[in-house]
Amino acid sequence: GEDVEQSLFLSVREGDSSVINCTYTDSSSTYLYWYKQEPGAGLQLLTYIFSNMDMKQDQRLTVLLNKKDKHLSLRIADTQTGDSAIYFCAEKTSYDKVIFGPGTSLSVIP
Amino acid sequence: NAGVMQNPRHLVRRRGQEARLRCSPMKGHSHVYWYRQLPEEGLKFMVYLQKENIIDESGMPKERFSAEFPKEGPSILRIQQVVRGDSAAYFCASSATSGGDRGRQYFGPGTRLTVT
């Protein structure tokens, strides 16, 4: 079946790097996404990676994809208090459906 | 180019009433997706529509929920005879039919439904 898993909580100190991990099951997924949801707000697309890429970097964000292990990670360098939010990993399946993980709640300690 | 628009942003209904949620996709997008986010949970896919067609409704509850995306006008998610368990945030997303980045879905701000 289709499933996306993430750890539910992560706590880091301000200035450290955060690494949020995600695993998925659909080997035919085409795109993988990271979304950010701040309290009371909608989803914001942070970054995405096409399934034939290994890595994508965008300013403080680095996405790593291990397609063999179906593992995706999001690294946030120099984490700030404004990065506190819930981060959703998602995969787009070959049927054009996007499957979301449960979200990882990131808490940044000043 | 305006993003995906949803209205209302907040909707309060009493048990047994009907809720209608509207989604206007981005200009040029003809694919619409509805998701539900229950309190303390992640997003769950509900339905995927193209103009005048339901492509995948595998996430829709079998009763009381329906969705449409007419040739003209916004996509509508309709919930009849609402119950307290329907209280959630409902997000709409849209994507283009073609182009270099077909995979990218753009999300609206969501409609927060509260059933009293």
Side-chain angles (χ1 to χ4, degrees), chain A residues 19-31:
Chain A
V19 180
I20 304 172
N21 294 301
C22 168
T23 57
Y24 60 97
T25 56
D26 189 346
S27 57
S28 65
S29 61
T30 52
Y31 288 86

Side-chain angles (χ1 to χ4, degrees), chain A residues 33 35 37 43 45 48 98, chain B residues 37 43 101 103-105 107:
Chain A
Y33 308 87
Y35 288 90
Q37 185 182 29
L43 287 180
L45 178 65
Y48 65 98
V98 178
Chain B
Q37 184 179 28
L43 285 175
D101 187 3
R104 185 166 182 169
Q105 292 187 14
F107 278 82

Side-chain angles (χ1 to χ4, degrees), chain B residues 81-114:
Chain B
Q81 298 175 321
V82 296
V83 300
R84 287 224 173 98
D86 297 332
S87 295
Y90 292 84
F91 289 92
C92 166
S94 73
S95 68
T97 55
S98 61
D101 187 3
R102 287 194 64 228
R104 185 166 182 169
Q105 292 187 14
Y106 294 79
F107 278 82
T111 294
R112 278 162 179 80
L113 173 65
T114 302

Side-chain angles (χ1 to χ4, degrees), chain B residues 10-48:
Chain B
H10 299 274
L11 181 61
V12 180
R13 284 287 178 266
R14 288 201 175 94
R15 275 183 298 170
Q17 290 184 320
E18 179 180 284
R20 279 186 180 238
L21 288 64
R22 292 175 189 76
C23 170
S24 296
M26 283 181 72
K27 188 177 179 181
H29 287 189
S30 60
H31 297 237
V32 165
Y33 312 78
W34 284 95
Y35 299 85
R36 177 164 65 172
Q37 184 179 28
L38 292 167
E40 310 303 323
E41 294 186 15
L43 285 175
K44 299 292 182 189
F45 168 80
M46 297 181 75
V47 62
Y48 163 33

Side-chain angles (χ1 to χ4, degrees), chain A residues 7-57:
Chain A
S7 52
L8 296 182
F9 301 99
L10 177 65
S11 183
V12 299
R13 291 202 178 278
E14 192 174 13
D16 287 350
S17 292
S18 308
V19 180
I20 304 172
N21 294 301
C22 168
T23 57
Y24 60 97
T25 56
D26 189 346
S27 57
S28 65
S29 61
T30 52
Y31 288 86
L32 295 128
Y33 308 87
W34 284 104
Y35 288 90
K36 178 182 180 182
Q37 185 182 29
E38 294 180 88
L43 287 180
Q44 172 196 356
L45 178 65
L46 277 181
T47 186
Y48 65 98
I49 188 168
F50 191 47
S51 57
N52 68 354
M53 296 169 64
D54 298 324
M55 185 182 92
K56 182 177 179 181
Q57 187 147 8

